[in-house]
């Protein structure tokens, strides 16, 4: 995004103030309002779509496939496609990596086990139709919703197939399907937050212009228990990145801890909503 | 305060109004409000009309090429599309961003179908109006305007293909600073006599006809500029009683010179947090008006600002419900005034 | 495949339709008002397509420009989850390229390109779900999005697919039907019988071609009427809003 030097210094100075002034007057812990819809793809086990007020949009689909547990290296595969970017570009590979690694380390693959030989493999396909700021936060929220609303077909064949190998068969009755993440489970999928650093201040969900003038950025993971790994720094603008102080790290940690709980609550209430499943 | 709000998509256009209005199938109603014509629809088979934008003719018949409303002005028949990019007209006051620096001209993005052109000869260069353009000017173009700079200008003329040629040959035009840029749909901007306004709270706004809006701290609030201006004025007035040739002219050139150099400066003046807060509030208000698809005028912007003071933090204005409630307040207030 | 009857003795297809019945067709325009100049969403049976149009606008690089007319660029993104069986697609896949070229050629004729010289019209299509008739759904979505963007077109281009089962022509094939019979996709200009698009996948006997074309043209006209109704409805809503 092109900004004039005057615009840059205006934005930077506003953000570096104590207390900071964000260009849309949000508080440092405030997200931009989102629109979300779920379960609009009948051919996928789970689907979710989130759109921001500036037009950024992401659609995530979760599909399952029965595999021989021994034959696969991982039971969750994430694939990210960003409109306008090559699939092998650094930008897309990095996004893919972050989402994949947090799911690899913080997802109970035990729920995917069907029998002693077979398991479900789930494919999380993300499509970013449009993005203005770094889309990792958007991707993470949409992925959370898609996973929360995913249901898998119910196994009707024998669970114990040690002796006799048997291809798993499933109930045709979709009402019998089980949610991937049971409602009574304590587990919630992990989230990733993007934080921008300007001066001594940190901001959650930075907009494109805030990113442009930021001096540094962070990617921070969150789960119900609290802040988890990763806790990486990332350069959000293509200008020179300034170093980070311990102060930034502490502030960002507190910020994510504060927001994380509310974000989870908001997402969970969307996931519970049984209302009409239209995409728009 | 809430960290995050997630709502269901607003299928507002789709469901709420569709049941109320009766939907005619394909036939154009000759009602009072203009009816919609769609591409390929026959508008008239009378060959006497001159065909304007949004139409094409085949075998003496005129067809519409866009979805829009028919406009019959004098002998010109045209169809105005319901939506579309900004189309420049001569005399429009626009805000633009420089995209390219080229051979004696700049290319400026004004949100239209093509970038506009700003010729080197159409800008004020430091040193005064009568300064001859030299070769070094061409090489130093980036010192005046470079890629990414924002400026406001007037559309001087249009090229054959409809693209605009701009000029900034007035002190009210030029590079913009001390403020914040907002983009709203150009269809919501009403063409008026004046597009630069002073808003309560010491803020100036330039509402470009192209939907590019610039909020800034009012220039006179700047003490240093004021001081130099006063100095010049003092010199001029003192010279009026005992006139010596050349005295007045020296100060005039210097005035021009100073203001010209200021015009191309990239450095902001000091802007207090209260001014910054006011600017963010106004920008959220104009975004609220845009969201509610209300035509943007100075009065409505001020009304929106006043309505928004009910919310202590301007950050509440990013929520859809708040934007819609402010929009409703403004519409209702106008209806009551009649 | 023995338990699926593609065309029963009573004249019913596997989903209960008759030979000349269209699947459920729903469409919306202006679905992405703030992020693109024109947008649309089309559902044809179980196929779901989003189309985003930007332009006419200044292109990124000068080399793309034509001084006489607008340049069209189509990007087709078929999601890997769009089919029942997930399949990751490369952007350079031949099938995708063929569809892109077909769409570009069709719309270069349909848009009044000569009034937008030196500009770029960028069309982005996202296929979220496909169940037969992919090219037809994409064509319809592009038509609607271009109209929404206010880009001048000579007329609607409405498209539908059709096939031949033994000697019976069948209208608007779903994915299973497409797998077993030759498919003809046809794009019709407005209310006329002129073809803007014609794609035949596999073979049909020449003497049967006319019957398939006939139902395709009729089907396209019906789709055009549905699209036109939506454009008018949306137009009325817009006008009533702006006048208030």
């Amino acid at each position: 995004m092109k900004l004039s030097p005057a615009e840059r210094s205006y934005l930077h100075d506003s953000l570096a103030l104590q207390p900071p002034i964000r260009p849309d007057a949000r508080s440092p812990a405030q997200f931009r309002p989102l629109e979300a819809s779920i379960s609009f793809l009948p051919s996928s086990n789970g689907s979710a779509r989130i759109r921001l007020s500036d037009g950024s949009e992401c659609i995530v689909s979760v599909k399952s496939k029965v595999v021989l547990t021994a034959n696969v290296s991982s039971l969750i595969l994430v694939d990210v496609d960003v409109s306008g970017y090559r699939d092998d570009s650094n930008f897309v590979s990095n996004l893919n990596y972050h989402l994949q690694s947090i799911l690899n380390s913080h997802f109970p693959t035990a729920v995917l086990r069907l029998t002693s030989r077979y398991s479900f493999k789930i494919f999380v396909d993300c499509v970013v139709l449009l993005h203005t700021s770094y889309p990792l936060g958007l991707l993470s929220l949409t992925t959370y919703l898609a996973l929360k609303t995913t249901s898998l077909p119910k196994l009707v064949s024998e669970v114990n197939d040690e002796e006799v190998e048997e291809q798993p068969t499933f109930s045709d009755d979709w009402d019998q399907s089980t949610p991937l993440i049971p409602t009574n489970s304590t587990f919630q999928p992990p989230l990733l937050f993007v934080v921008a650093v300007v001066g001594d201040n940190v901001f959650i969900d930075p907009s494109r212009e805030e990113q442009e003038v930021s001096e540094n950025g962070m990617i921070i993971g969150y789960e119900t228990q609290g802040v988890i790994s990763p806790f990486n720094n990332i350069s959000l603008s293509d200008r020179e990145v300034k170093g980070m102080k311990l102060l930034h790290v502490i502030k960002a940690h507190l910020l994510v801890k504060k927001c994380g709980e509310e974000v989870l609550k908001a997402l969970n209430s969307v996931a519970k909503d049984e209302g009409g499943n239209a995409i728009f | 305060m809430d960290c995050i709000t997630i709502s269901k998509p607003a299928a507002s256009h789709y469901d709420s109004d569709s049941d109320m209005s009766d939907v005619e199938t394909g036939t154009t109603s000759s009602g009072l409000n203009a009816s919609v014509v769609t591409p390929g629809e026959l508008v008239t088979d009378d060959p006497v009309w001159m065909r304007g934008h949004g139409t094409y003719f085949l075998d003496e018949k005129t067809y519409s090429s866009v979805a829009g409303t028919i406009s019959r002005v004098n002998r010109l028949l045209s169809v105005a599309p319901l939506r579309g990019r900004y189309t420049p007209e001569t005399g429009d006051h626009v805000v633009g961003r420089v995209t390219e620096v080229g051979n004696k001209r700049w290319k400026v993005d004004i949100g239209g179908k093509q970038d506009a052109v700003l010729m080197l000869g159409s800008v004020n260069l430091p040193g005064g109006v009568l300064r001859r353009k030299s070769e070094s000017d061409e090489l130093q173009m980036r010192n005046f305007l470079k890629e990414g700079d924002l400026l406001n200008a007037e559309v001087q003329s249009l090229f054959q293909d409809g693209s605009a040629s701009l000029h900034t040959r007035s002190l009210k035009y030029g590079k913009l600073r001390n403020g914040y840029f907002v983009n709203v749909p150009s269809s919501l901007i009403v063409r008026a006599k004046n597009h630069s306004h002073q808003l309560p709270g010491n803020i100036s706004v330039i509402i470009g006809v192209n939907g590019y809006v610039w909020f800034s701290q009012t220039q006179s609030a700047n003490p240093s500029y004021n001081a130099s201006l006063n100095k010049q004025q003092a010199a001029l007035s003192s010279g009026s009683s005992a006139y010596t040739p050349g005295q007045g002219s020296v100060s005039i050139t210097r005035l021009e010179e100073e203001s010209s150099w200021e015009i191309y400066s990239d450095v902001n003046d000091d802007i207090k947090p209260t001014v910054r807060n006011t600017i963010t509030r106004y920008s959220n208000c104009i975004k609220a008006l845009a969201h509610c698809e209300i035509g943007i005028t100075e009065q409505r912007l001020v009304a929106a600002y006043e309505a928004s003071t009910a919310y202590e933090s301007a950050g509440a204005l990013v929520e859809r419900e708040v934007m819609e409630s402010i929009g409703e307040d403004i519409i209702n207030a106008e209806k009551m005034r009649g | 495949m023995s338990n699926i009857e593609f065309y029963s003795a009573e004249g019913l297809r596997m989903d209960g339709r008759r030979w000349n019945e269209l699947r459920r067709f729903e469409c919306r325009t202006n679905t992405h008002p703030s992020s693109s100049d024109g947008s649309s969403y089309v559902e044809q049976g179980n196929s779901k397509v989003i189309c985003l149009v930007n332009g006419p606008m200044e292109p990124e690089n000068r080399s793309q420009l034509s001084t006489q007319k607008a340049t069209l660029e189509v990007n087709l993104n078929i999601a890997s989850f769009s089919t029942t069986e997930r399949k990751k697609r490369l952007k350079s896949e031949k099938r995708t390229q063929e569809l892109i070229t077909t769409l570009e050629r069709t719309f270069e004729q349909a848009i009044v390109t000569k009034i937008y010289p030196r500009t770029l019209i960028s069309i982005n299509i996202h296929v979220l779900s496909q169940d037969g008739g992919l090219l037809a759904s994409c064509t319809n979505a592009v038509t609607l999005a271009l109209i929404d963007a206010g880009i001048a077109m000579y007329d609607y281009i409405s498209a539908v697919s059709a096939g031949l089962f033994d000697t019976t022509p069948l209208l608007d094939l779903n994915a299973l039907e497409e797998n077993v019979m030759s498919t003809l996709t046809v794009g019709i200009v407005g209310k006329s019988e002129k073809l803007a698009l014609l794609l035949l996948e596999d073979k049909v006997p020449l003497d049967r071609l006319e019957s398939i074309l006939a139902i395709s043209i009729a089907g396209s006209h019906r789709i055009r009427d549905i699209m036109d109704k939506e454009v008018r409805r949306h137009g009325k809503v817009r006008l009533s809003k702006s006048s208030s």
Side-chain angles (χ1 to χ4, degrees):
Chain A
M1 176 187 202
K2 270 286 172 191
L3 287 175
S4 67
E7 280 177 286
R8 256 175 208 284
S9 61
Y10 176 86
L11 284 167
H12 182 274
D13 293 345
S14 302
L15 288 170
L17 285 173
Q18 292 290 1
I21 300 173
R22 295 178 88 166
D24 53 3
R26 281 185 288 151
S27 79
Q30 192 181 350
F31 276 78
R32 286 167 287 178
L34 312 159
E35 248 178 36
S37 25
I38 50 167
S39 307
F40 47 84
L41 292 176
S43 60
S44 296
N45 296 83
S47 51
R49 170 183 166 266
I50 292 189
R51 180 160 74 172
L52 292 173
S53 44
D54 64 3
S56 307
E57 187 170 345
C58 174
I59 294 179
V60 172
S61 136
V62 176
K63 275 174 93 82
S64 65
K65 189 172 166 176
V66 176
V67 295
L68 275 166
T69 322
N71 288 359
V72 293
S73 53
S74 120
L75 289 178
I76 306 183
L77 185 72
V78 175
D79 182 67
V80 176
D81 175 18
V82 182
S83 185
Y85 284 79
R86 285 173 62 100
D87 285 346
D88 53 3
S89 63
N90 277 342
F91 187 71
V92 177
S93 313
N94 277 330
L95 289 169
N96 214 340
Y97 168 76
H98 284 295
L99 284 170
Q100 179 77 64
S101 55
I102 200 174
L103 279 178
N104 280 347
S105 50
H106 292 275
F107 195 87
T109 46
V111 301
L112 296 171
R113 281 280 144 86
L114 283 169
T115 67
S116 53
R117 286 178 215 263
Y118 289 96
S119 304
F120 270 128
K121 177 165 180 171
I122 58 170
F123 297 90
V124 180
D125 292 303
C126 314
V127 177
V128 179
L129 278 87
L130 189 93
H131 71 280
T132 50
S133 47
Y134 193 61
L136 188 60
L138 180 64
L139 277 163
S140 164
L141 295 174
T142 321
T143 307
Y144 180 96
L145 267 185
L147 287 171
K148 267 305 259 201
T149 54
T150 297
S151 41
L152 298 169
K154 187 179 169 73
L155 184 71
V156 292
S157 59
E158 265 301 316
V159 175
N160 184 359
D161 61 352
E162 278 285 336
E163 312 286 300
V164 182
E165 179 166 334
E166 188 191 338
Q167 272 268 325
T169 48
F170 301 93
S171 162
D172 278 335
D173 187 359
W174 201 242
D175 290 331
Q176 296 241 322
S177 62
T178 51
L180 173 64
I181 297 164
T183 37
N184 53 0
S185 145
T186 48
F187 169 75
Q188 312 282 358
L191 287 172
L192 285 167
F193 290 105
V194 177
V195 173
V197 176
V198 181
D200 282 345
N201 300 318
V202 295
F203 306 98
I204 207 138
D205 188 26
S207 66
R208 193 172 180 186
E209 41 197 16
E210 288 173 334
Q211 287 190 257
E212 264 298 304
V213 301
S214 66
E215 290 156 2
N216 215 325
M218 286 179 258
I219 297 177
I220 303 173
Y222 183 85
E223 216 185 13
T224 20
Q225 267 69 36
V227 175
I228 53 169
S229 71
F231 202 117
N232 296 344
N233 70 321
I234 179 176
S235 151
L236 291 171
S237 75
D238 31 73
R239 298 258 162 145
E240 289 208 6
V241 175
K242 284 200 182 148
M244 275 209 289
K245 301 193 256 194
L246 182 59
L247 172 73
H248 295 138
V249 173
I250 294 175
K251 275 190 173 179
H253 190 281
L254 290 170
L255 190 69
V256 171
K257 208 160 142 192
K258 175 178 165 192
C259 297
E261 206 43 56
E262 285 211 39
V263 172
L264 278 183
K265 237 190 326 188
L267 287 171
N268 287 340
S269 73
V270 173
K272 279 203 190 65
D273 195 354
E274 291 293 327
N277 296 329
I279 182 171
F280 290 116
Chain B
M1 137 134 35
D2 270 347
C3 266
I4 187 168
T5 48
I6 309 184
S7 53
K8 275 204 154 275
S12 52
H13 296 296
Y14 202 57
D15 295 319
S16 55
D17 298 62
S18 63
D19 301 328
M20 299 185 330
S21 59
D22 39 315
V23 183
E24 285 119 73
T25 47
T27 52
T28 50
S29 61
S30 50
L32 288 157
N33 42 333
S35 53
V36 174
V37 288
T38 56
E41 189 174 331
L42 179 68
V43 177
T44 181
D45 47 11
D46 197 350
V48 76
W49 291 95
M50 272 203 318
R51 286 103 178 174
H53 292 304
T55 62
Y56 67 93
F57 65 94
L58 205 59
D59 301 332
E60 304 251 313
K61 300 202 177 112
T62 311
Y63 299 90
S64 168
S65 61
V66 292
T69 50
I70 305 174
S71 129
R72 296 180 176 95
V73 177
N74 297 328
R75 289 256 72 112
L76 183 68
L77 177 65
S78 54
V79 180
L82 293 166
R83 285 187 83 206
R85 288 205 160 206
Y86 166 65
T87 317
E89 307 270 338
T90 312
D92 279 352
H93 183 174
V94 297
V95 171
R97 194 182 290 276
V98 176
T99 57
E100 216 183 280
V101 184
N103 186 15
K104 287 198 260 200
R105 64 179 187 27
W106 291 274
K107 281 291 194 114
V108 181
D109 162 40
I110 52 171
K113 300 186 178 82
Q114 291 182 60
D115 283 349
V117 160
L118 177 62
M119 306 296 297
L120 179 58
S122 306
V123 305
N124 283 333
L125 292 175
V129 232
L130 300 175
R131 184 154 141 343
R132 289 184 82 92
K133 308 283 182 273
S134 67
E135 274 194 14
S136 61
D137 285 335
E138 288 175 43
L139 301 171
Q140 285 177 38
M141 280 174 73
R142 274 201 182 74
N143 289 345
F144 310 132
L145 292 167
K146 57 194 174 304
E147 290 91 342
D149 283 345
L150 269 181
L151 51 90
N152 67 330
E154 189 184 46
V155 176
Q156 187 171 48
S157 60
L158 297 178
F159 291 106
Q160 256 255 342
D161 56 10
S163 59
S165 177
L166 307 173
H167 80 87
T168 59
R169 281 200 152 282
S170 165
L171 284 181
K172 62 179 177 182
Y173 300 128
K175 200 188 241 186
L176 297 171
R177 56 196 180 96
N178 294 330
Y180 180 64
F181 171 77
V182 179
N183 189 358
V184 296
S186 61
S187 52
L188 297 174
I189 312 283
V190 181
R191 282 194 170 92
K193 266 190 86 174
N194 189 19
H195 284 272
S196 301
H197 308 280
Q198 298 280 35
L199 300 172
N202 222 2
I203 305 293
S204 305
V205 67
I206 299 173
I207 305 179
V209 182
N210 57 341
Y212 287 11
V213 179
W214 179 256
F215 290 99
S216 61
Q217 173 172 260
T218 304
Q219 268 302 69
S220 58
N222 178 357
S224 64
Y225 179 72
N226 234 1
S228 69
L229 198 58
N230 288 337
K231 221 171 40 176
Q232 305 305 328
Q233 285 191 348
L236 278 171
S237 56
S238 66
S240 61
S241 49
Y243 178 71
T244 51
Q247 178 182 15
S249 57
V250 168
S251 32
I252 288 174
T253 351
R254 217 185 295 142
L255 166 64
E256 282 224 45
E257 186 124 34
E258 272 195 45
S259 62
S260 297
W261 280 118
E262 289 241 346
I263 281 178
Y264 290 113
S265 161
D266 283 328
V267 179
N268 285 336
D269 305 318
D270 183 41
I271 307 173
K272 297 272 178 298
T274 42
V275 175
R276 291 177 196 265
N277 275 319
T278 319
I279 288 181
T280 55
R281 194 174 275 271
Y282 272 116
S283 72
N284 279 355
C285 287
I286 208 173
K287 284 182 195 161
L289 288 177
H291 172 85
C292 304
E293 299 196 342
I294 299 173
I296 294 171
T297 62
E298 185 207 353
Q299 296 91 318
R300 285 184 176 155
L301 187 52
V302 176
Y305 181 81
E306 275 156 22
S308 81
T309 48
Y311 303 90
E312 197 200 309
S313 160
L317 293 166
V318 301
E319 304 295 336
R320 194 168 71 197
E321 291 160 356
V322 176
M323 289 203 273
E324 284 169 5
S325 118
I326 289 191
E328 259 181 59
D329 287 346
I330 297 198
I331 298 291
N332 290 339
E334 289 194 353
K335 277 195 188 146
M336 288 207 291
R337 259 181 267 140
Chain C
M1 286 289 162
S2 53
N3 49 347
I4 301 178
E5 217 176 8
F6 286 98
Y7 196 62
S8 72
E10 297 89 37
L12 291 176
R13 290 150 77 173
M14 45 184 288
D15 52 3
R17 284 186 290 150
R18 302 232 163 249
W19 62 282
N20 60 350
E21 256 182 76
L22 283 173
R23 290 179 290 178
R24 184 188 67 109
F25 184 87
E26 283 196 16
C27 58
R28 289 211 211 171
T29 54
N30 201 224
T31 50
H32 295 72
S34 50
S35 43
S36 57
D37 292 315
S39 50
S40 69
Y41 174 67
V42 164
E43 276 188 20
Q44 222 166 329
N46 285 329
S47 298
K48 295 178 173 46
V49 177
I50 295 177
C51 181
L52 303 171
V53 163
N54 273 306
M57 60 183 181
E58 191 82 24
E60 292 279 313
N61 52 332
R62 241 2 107 64
S63 60
Q64 282 183 299
L65 279 182
S66 157
T67 50
Q68 311 299 327
K69 54 189 174 68
T71 314
L72 237 65
E73 182 188 69
V74 173
N75 290 310
L76 181 57
N77 305 291
I78 304 178
S80 36
F81 50 82
S82 57
T83 46
T84 322
E85 284 291 313
R86 179 187 180 271
K87 184 183 169 206
K88 172 90 179 147
R89 257 159 252 266
L90 292 168
K91 299 239 164 94
S92 53
E93 214 182 62
K94 274 225 175 96
R95 177 105 213 286
T96 314
Q97 287 301 319
E98 185 186 30
L99 292 174
I100 288 177
T101 314
T102 312
L103 287 165
E104 279 175 358
R105 287 201 192 142
T106 307
F107 285 98
E108 264 159 18
Q109 301 294 316
I111 298 173
V112 188
T113 49
K114 62 181 199 272
I115 61 174
Y116 305 118
R118 293 193 190 82
T119 64
L120 173 72
I121 298 176
S122 169
I123 301 172
N124 285 293
I125 307 170
H126 294 272
V127 180
L128 302 177
S129 164
Q130 45 169 325
D131 184 25
L134 177 62
L135 179 58
S137 311
C138 290
T139 309
N140 295 328
V142 172
T143 301
L144 283 172
L146 288 171
I147 294 176
D148 184 46
I151 294 177
M153 301 228 292
Y154 291 107
D155 213 326
Y156 284 79
I157 308 284
S158 47
V160 80
S161 65
L164 191 69
F165 185 73
D166 197 20
T167 53
T168 318
L170 297 179
L171 180 63
D172 200 4
L173 305 178
N174 61 28
L176 288 169
E177 288 171 334
E178 262 183 14
N179 280 342
V180 299
M181 51 187 108
S182 300
T183 314
L184 180 74
T185 305
V186 139
I188 302 292
V189 180
K191 294 187 195 165
S192 73
E193 297 204 344
K194 291 198 226 165
L195 298 172
L197 187 159
L198 182 70
L199 184 74
L200 175 62
E201 279 164 310
D202 216 12
K203 304 180 280 207
V204 294
L206 189 58
D207 51 353
R208 297 277 166 214
L209 185 62
E210 199 180 329
S211 60
I212 310 175
L213 268 177
I215 53 159
S216 309
I217 292 174
S220 296
H221 287 164
R222 265 181 276 158
I223 288 187
R224 181 226 160 259
D225 290 338
I226 302 175
M227 295 203 290
D228 190 46
K229 192 166 161 185
E230 171 58 23
V231 170
R232 280 178 202 282
R233 188 203 64 82
H234 180 82
K236 276 198 167 63
V237 170
R238 268 214 109 74
L239 285 176
S240 64
K241 261 190 158 192
S242 61
S243 58
S244 64

